[in-house]
Amino acid sequence: MARAIEIVEVGPRDGLQSEPEVLSTATKLELINRLVASGLKRLEVASFVNPKRVPQMADAEAVLAGLAKVPGVQYVGLVLNRKGFDRALAAGCTEVGLVTAATNSFSERNQGATTEELIRTIEEIAPLAREAGVRMQVTLSTAFGCPFEGEVPAARVVEICRRLAKSNPLEIALADTIGVAVPSQVTALVEQVRGVVGDVAIRCHFHNTRNTAVANAYAAVLAGVSTLDASVGGVGGCPFAPNATGNVGTEDLVYMLSRAGYDTGIDLTQLIETARWLGEQRGKPVPSMVSKAGGFPAGTVRASA
Amino acid sequence: MARAIEIVEVGPRDGLQSEPEVLSTATKLELINRLVASGLKRLEVASFVNPKRVPQMADAEAVLAGLAKVPGVQYVGLVLNRKGFDRALAAGCTEVGLVTAATNSFSERNQGATTEELIRTIEEIAPLAREAGVRMQVTLSTAFGCPFEGEVPAARVVEICRRLAKSNPLEIALADTIGVAVPSQVTALVEQVRGVVGDVAIRCHFHNTRNTAVANAYAAVLAGVSTLDASVGGVGGCPFAPNATGNVGTEDLVYMLSRAGYDTGIDLTQLIETARWLGEQRGKPVPSMVSKAGGFPAGTVRASA
């Protein structure tokens, strides 16, 4: 039996958040529904942050209200503080994603607080999530490099993960926020972090800024990681990280994993159609490669004209 | 000491051949000289084919005549038949690259002969190259998949490589002509081919059509391959292979390899400047990612504005 790899679709949040255009709530809902239809079961659909700071996410409550509950499908809300957590809970998220960064410079520019303060926020919210019966996971930004501080010592990432694991999140995601990681670094960091997080799973989040995202994802899978973030069409980036282009495209990742013999449970043909449809909605083609080239062999998935 | 990985720069031939624009001989010469200055020591600079079929390569002799001999630098000419070999020799190439394909459909559409006929051509030219004192290597196209026949059985690739090895080429390159390979396939095929080629080295040639090229290159390196083709700026493709977008970008590969601790002998900053310069010459930015994002940490290599 093929080993299963779970993909968390972050396009509707991490992807769209960095787009210059703001998609309508109806378009976002159609996007999410299409992604669910293609087989995705965990989708980051909204960010409960200050709408003045991230106008693309101002309709977070409306998006959640418009989504049909589908058995087995988790709608994840990004939450940066207690206020955001309360909003996500009220909106009906079944999973919340919390965030801190491996560097203070990034924590402060991205979330307006030090890494230590953000960890304390996570420690405050973790028991509340448990009481409320919602899943809770944590992402550690700039785990492979920081746009402001440069190289991030692995020892610092390991120490933060050791502490985060005490809050018993569903998983800790090592995020290459600015797309600088290389596969050897992924192999080493995953191994080191695994040594300190006990039973807490490791997720990985890669950006393709320097064309290494698929290589990093494969290295993570070989290192035993079974959950990866990806963004339909490869849209996204980070508005507060200079030069951070898109997340790895979901269809690029699904193509590689499927052809390498892993089971993602996702229909590549449908996913490619959705990526192309998203390109039409935003008025320019999405940056992923498989959305242009199609799958292989020809006929399995249609190539674009 | 860091393990050395040799990169064969194929941009001036495989890259430019598929561009709609035809660069002037002077521009090609400046490109090649810049690449040599950045540390590249093996460059595929021309194709000795019918200029009516590939007008971008019509100035093959003029390119070779205009290049300064640099100690330790090999100028490779692509050669598809005896006539091309004679031209390459007369033009002063120090290395010739011969080609066949793993599928007849591709051999016939790309080179107008069956795979068997092309192998016989290679067997005819090999001793002539040895007598003439020029290096000779072979590329096997569609080794990971064919645009016309779909999946290519690994056993067929292995059998062709076993036969090609008897001509004792400098190396046999496994080429993913249409960019369909995934890293697990690279690992497996390199191992199988190694078992039948004796002392003949294996080179790999990847296209990034489905965003897997850097992952494939890393898998090849882990499997013991020490020579990889790449194209500055990621330009190129194949005019006879539908949807085959560019070769893996040299700077993308150098970025990944250098940060992973391998020694390519190439100055990434200079290489990125050349990729951006090439974008200006062709009138549109090159598709590689590192040429846009710059290296890391910031300051090591300037990011673009």
Side-chain angles (χ1 to χ4, degrees):
Chain A
M1 248 187 63
R3 181 178 152 205
I5 303 295
E6 178 188 48
I7 295 186
V8 180
E9 170 60 53
V10 300
R13 199 287 302 173
D14 198 11
L16 296 185
Q17 171 175 314
S18 310
E19 294 277 298
E21 314 82 25
V22 178
L23 294 191
S24 72
T25 306
T27 305
K28 287 185 187 177
L29 290 172
E30 181 169 354
L31 173 63
I32 296 162
N33 289 334
R34 281 171 172 262
L35 292 167
V36 170
S38 73
L40 284 151
K41 297 205 177 303
R42 252 177 106 187
L43 304 95
E44 197 180 69
V45 296
S47 178
F48 293 88
V49 293
N50 186 340
K52 285 186 192 137
R53 197 139 188 263
V54 188
Q56 292 91 337
M57 294 293 120
D59 60 351
E61 275 82 1
V63 167
L64 265 297
L67 288 171
K69 290 201 195 323
V70 180
V73 171
Q74 307 291 336
Y75 296 126
V76 184
L78 188 80
V79 156
L80 301 185
N81 51 37
R82 174 65 193 268
K83 187 177 169 192
F85 172 73
D86 291 340
R87 282 177 62 200
L89 211 62
C93 288
T94 54
E95 178 178 327
V96 292
L98 308 179
V99 187
T100 183
T103 53
N104 268 321
S105 315
F106 196 83
S107 290
E108 282 168 5
R109 296 216 209 182
N110 196 47
Q111 297 181 243
T114 65
T115 296
E116 174 62 29
E117 287 166 340
L118 294 171
I119 294 174
R120 286 196 197 144
T121 298
I122 292 164
E123 291 170 342
E124 175 201 348
I125 292 175
L128 302 176
R130 237 183 321 275
E131 279 167 38
V134 299
R135 293 151 55 115
M136 184 276 291
Q137 34 90 357
V138 180
T139 294
L140 183 61
S141 302
T142 63
F144 298 89
C146 172
F148 311 114
E149 299 187 21
E151 295 288 2
V152 174
R156 193 195 304 170
V157 174
V158 169
E159 278 319 302
I160 296 172
C161 289
R162 186 200 301 274
R163 176 130 171 238
L164 291 172
K166 291 181 185 159
S167 292
N168 202 28
L170 178 64
E171 70 221 343
I172 297 171
L174 302 174
D176 183 22
T177 312
I178 56 167
V180 297
V182 294
S184 54
Q185 191 185 11
V186 173
T187 306
L189 194 61
V190 166
E191 279 177 20
Q192 288 179 70
V193 169
R194 182 175 292 117
V196 301
V197 297
D199 290 338
V200 175
I202 299 172
R203 195 172 87 232
C204 283
H205 176 105
F206 295 116
H207 284 241
N208 199 35
T209 315
R210 288 169 183 81
N211 217 349
T212 59
V214 172
N216 293 337
Y218 187 66
V221 166
L222 290 187
V225 171
S226 292
T227 306
L228 297 165
D229 288 356
S231 163
V232 60
V235 296
C238 175
F240 309 111
N243 277 316
T245 48
N247 293 82
V248 60
T250 311
E251 56 276 21
D252 291 4
L253 208 47
V254 168
Y255 171 79
M256 183 275 283
L257 291 170
S258 304
R259 198 159 152 73
Y262 298 96
D263 176 16
T264 65
I266 296 165
D267 182 314
L268 184 57
T269 304
Q270 271 186 270
L271 185 62
I272 289 174
E273 279 168 11
T274 295
R276 291 175 186 169
W277 171 87
L278 178 60
E280 290 160 21
Q281 304 308 309
R282 71 205 277 267
K284 57 178 186 284
V286 292
S288 71
M289 302 292 286
V290 171
S291 64
K292 298 179 187 78
F296 181 79
T300 310
V301 177
R302 287 195 299 282
S304 64
Chain B
M1 248 186 63
R3 179 177 154 206
I5 303 294
E6 178 188 47
I7 295 187
V8 181
E9 171 59 52
V10 300
R13 200 285 303 171
D14 197 11
L16 296 185
Q17 171 174 312
S18 311
E19 294 277 298
E21 313 83 27
V22 179
L23 294 191
S24 73
T25 306
T27 304
K28 286 184 186 177
L29 290 172
E30 182 169 354
L31 173 63
I32 295 162
N33 289 335
R34 281 171 174 262
L35 292 167
V36 170
S38 73
L40 284 150
K41 297 205 178 304
R42 252 178 107 187
L43 305 94
E44 197 181 68
V45 296
S47 178
F48 293 88
V49 292
N50 186 340
K52 286 187 191 135
R53 196 137 187 264
V54 186
Q56 293 91 338
M57 294 291 119
D59 60 351
E61 276 81 1
V63 168
L64 266 294
L67 287 171
K69 289 199 196 322
V70 180
V73 171
Q74 308 290 336
Y75 297 126
V76 184
L78 188 79
V79 156
L80 300 186
N81 50 38
R82 174 65 193 269
K83 187 177 168 192
F85 172 73
D86 291 340
R87 283 177 62 201
L89 212 62
C93 288
T94 55
E95 178 178 326
V96 292
L98 307 179
V99 186
T100 183
T103 53
N104 270 320
S105 316
F106 196 82
S107 291
E108 283 167 4
R109 296 216 209 184
N110 196 46
Q111 297 179 243
T114 64
T115 295
E116 175 61 30
E117 288 166 342
L118 293 171
I119 294 174
R120 286 196 197 145
T121 298
I122 292 164
E123 290 170 343
E124 175 201 348
I125 293 175
L128 303 175
R130 238 184 320 276
E131 281 167 37
V134 300
R135 295 152 51 116
M136 183 276 292
Q137 35 90 357
V138 181
T139 294
L140 182 61
S141 302
T142 63
F144 298 90
C146 172
F148 311 116
E149 299 187 21
E151 295 288 1
V152 174
R156 193 196 302 168
V157 174
V158 168
E159 278 319 300
I160 296 173
C161 289
R162 186 200 301 274
R163 177 130 171 238
L164 290 171
K166 291 180 184 159
S167 292
N168 201 28
L170 178 64
E171 68 220 347
I172 297 171
L174 302 175
D176 183 22
T177 312
I178 55 166
V180 297
V182 294
S184 55
Q185 191 185 11
V186 173
T187 307
L189 194 62
V190 166
E191 279 177 20
Q192 287 180 72
V193 169
R194 182 175 291 117
V196 300
V197 297
D199 291 338
V200 175
I202 300 171
R203 195 173 88 232
C204 283
H205 176 105
F206 295 117
H207 284 242
N208 199 37
T209 316
R210 288 169 184 81
N211 217 348
T212 58
V214 172
N216 293 338
Y218 186 66
V221 167
L222 290 187
V225 171
S226 291
T227 305
L228 296 165
D229 288 356
S231 163
V232 60
V235 295
C238 174
F240 310 110
N243 276 318
T245 48
N247 293 82
V248 61
T250 312
E251 56 276 21
D252 291 4
L253 208 48
V254 168
Y255 171 79
M256 183 275 284
L257 291 169
S258 305
R259 197 158 154 74
Y262 297 96
D263 176 17
T264 64
I266 296 166
D267 182 315
L268 184 57
T269 304
Q270 271 186 269
L271 185 61
I272 289 175
E273 279 169 10
T274 296
R276 291 176 186 168
W277 171 88
L278 178 59
E280 289 161 20
Q281 304 308 307
R282 71 205 278 267
K284 56 178 186 286
V286 292
S288 71
M289 302 292 286
V290 171
S291 63
K292 298 178 187 79
F296 181 80
T300 311
V301 176
R302 288 196 299 281
S304 64

